[in-house]
Amino acid sequence: MAIDIPGKLRDEDFAACLVRRYLAPGSTTGRARYSGAYFERIGGGGDRPETAYQFTAEDLLAVTMLSVRIEGYHALEVLCYQATELNDLLAQIPPGIALQDPEAGTLIAQGGPAWRLWDAICDIEPRPESNRIGPVAAGKLLARKRPHLIPVYDSRIKKVLKRPRTDNQWWQDLRAELINGQGLVQELEAVRDKAGAGHMSLLRVFDVMCWMFSWEGEHGPYAQEMPG
């Protein structure tokens, strides 16, 4: 299924403005306008060499920056009780591979290590009365550990890109768009440069563009400040 990217987001200046606003501090407090601006920064990043092959408490904290709640018993499963199994799967996913790279196809395919890791985290349900961690939180945790390979996905991304109700093809569809689309990789690189977001992966830049478009939007409170 093709990714239905709103035409406005193909305007590099407009998209860069969205990303800059996301990363900029609040005008009065000097503190983060959006906590997600620290998703990559908390603890130096999830794919830094020291911790690239294991889940850490900093990774779970980073995910909360994206409005996901990781409860205590879920954290214990990831960090302690299921740590060996989850970290073994994580170790099968090289940190430097990007979603558009040839090697990515087998990693994200159903039955591949990224898919199996996502599925294992998604289904963590520590106690009978607990909820599962769920697909959104699992995806965001993987995006923290492998930011060039796994894209963030949530209800806002789903809405902006008009994804289907049951969406099992998100990774594959975005990969196809990056490979076959009309210069999307180059556009995202340009947006990242213009926004001064060199610490972010292209997938995260795309996520922020879409999220901000949903949140502030073409007709949002700051639309008059945006070019286009």
Side-chain angles (χ1 to χ4, degrees), residues 143-217:
R144 160 80 177 180
K145 299 307 293 182
R146 297 294 181 263
H148 303 285
L149 179 69
I150 305 299
V152 170
Y153 189 71
D154 58 23
S155 60
R156 291 190 179 277
I157 306 305
K158 184 173 186 175
K159 177 182 178 181
V160 167
L161 301 178
K162 301 177 182 176
R163 300 297 296 172
R165 183 179 180 86
T166 300
D167 193 355
N168 294 322
Q169 289 293 120
W170 165 237
W171 295 351
Q172 290 82 358
D173 288 349
L174 184 53
R175 169 175 158 78
E177 192 71 27
L178 291 167
I179 295 171
N180 304 317
Q182 298 290 321
L184 181 58
V185 170
Q186 291 75 19
E187 288 178 23
L188 293 176
E189 289 173 342
V191 169
R192 181 169 63 182
D193 289 345
K194 291 180 179 181
H199 64 290
M200 296 171 67
S201 70
L202 295 184
L203 296 183
R204 181 73 170 118
V205 169
F206 184 62
D207 165 49
V208 169
M209 288 163 47
C210 294
W211 191 90
M212 285 292 286
F213 188 74
S214 170
W215 184 254
E216 296 194 353

Side-chain angles (χ1 to χ4, degrees), residues 4 7 29 32 36-37 47 68 87 103 108 110 121 129 178 189-190:
D4 187 6
T29 65
D47 61 342
V68 167
N87 291 337
E103 306 94 323
I108 67 168
Q110 192 165 0
I121 296 172
E129 66 272 22
L178 291 167
E189 289 173 342

Side-chain angles (χ1 to χ4, degrees), residues 13-209:
D13 290 331
F14 178 82
C17 187
L18 291 176
V19 177
R20 280 196 300 270
R21 286 200 58 78
Y22 184 84
L23 296 175
S27 57
T28 57
T29 65
R31 299 182 179 181
R33 178 182 284 111
Y34 298 105
S35 62
Y38 283 81
F39 177 65
E40 292 80 16
R41 300 174 183 178
I42 291 288
D47 61 342
R48 70 190 189 280
E50 300 86 349
T51 60
Y53 299 101
Q54 65 186 66
F55 291 102
T56 69
E58 289 169 337
D59 295 326
L60 299 183
L61 177 61
V63 169
T64 69
M65 301 295 106
L66 300 184
S67 302
V68 167
R69 182 179 179 184
I70 301 292
E71 298 180 354
Y73 283 104
H74 292 117
L76 287 174
E77 293 290 331
V78 173
L79 300 177
C80 300
Y81 306 138
Q82 297 189 43
T84 298
E85 296 82 0
L86 297 178
N87 291 337
D88 284 349
L89 282 171
L90 182 62
Q92 297 177 37
I93 310 169
I97 294 178
L99 185 57
Q100 66 270 25
D101 290 345
E103 306 94 323
T106 56
L107 295 175
I108 67 168
Q110 192 165 0
W115 184 285
R116 287 186 285 130
L117 180 55
W118 170 81
D119 198 40
I121 296 172
C122 177
D123 285 340
I124 288 176
E125 187 177 359
R127 299 182 295 173
E129 66 272 22
S130 300
N131 294 320
R132 296 187 309 156
I133 282 186
V136 170
K140 290 180 178 180
L141 185 55
L142 263 65
R144 160 80 177 180
K145 299 307 293 182
R146 297 294 181 263
H148 303 285
L149 179 69
I150 305 299
V152 170
Y153 189 71
D154 58 23
S155 60
R156 291 190 179 277
I157 306 305
K158 184 173 186 175
K159 177 182 178 181
V160 167
L161 301 178
K162 301 177 182 176
R163 300 297 296 172
R165 183 179 180 86
T166 300
D167 193 355
N168 294 322
Q169 289 293 120
W170 165 237
W171 295 351
Q172 290 82 358
D173 288 349
L174 184 53
R175 169 175 158 78
E177 192 71 27
L178 291 167
I179 295 171
N180 304 317
Q182 298 290 321
L184 181 58
V185 170
Q186 291 75 19
E187 288 178 23
L188 293 176
E189 289 173 342
V191 169
R192 181 169 63 182
D193 289 345
K194 291 180 179 181
H199 64 290
M200 296 171 67
S201 70
L202 295 184
L203 296 183
R204 181 73 170 118
V205 169
F206 184 62
D207 165 49
V208 169
M209 288 163 47

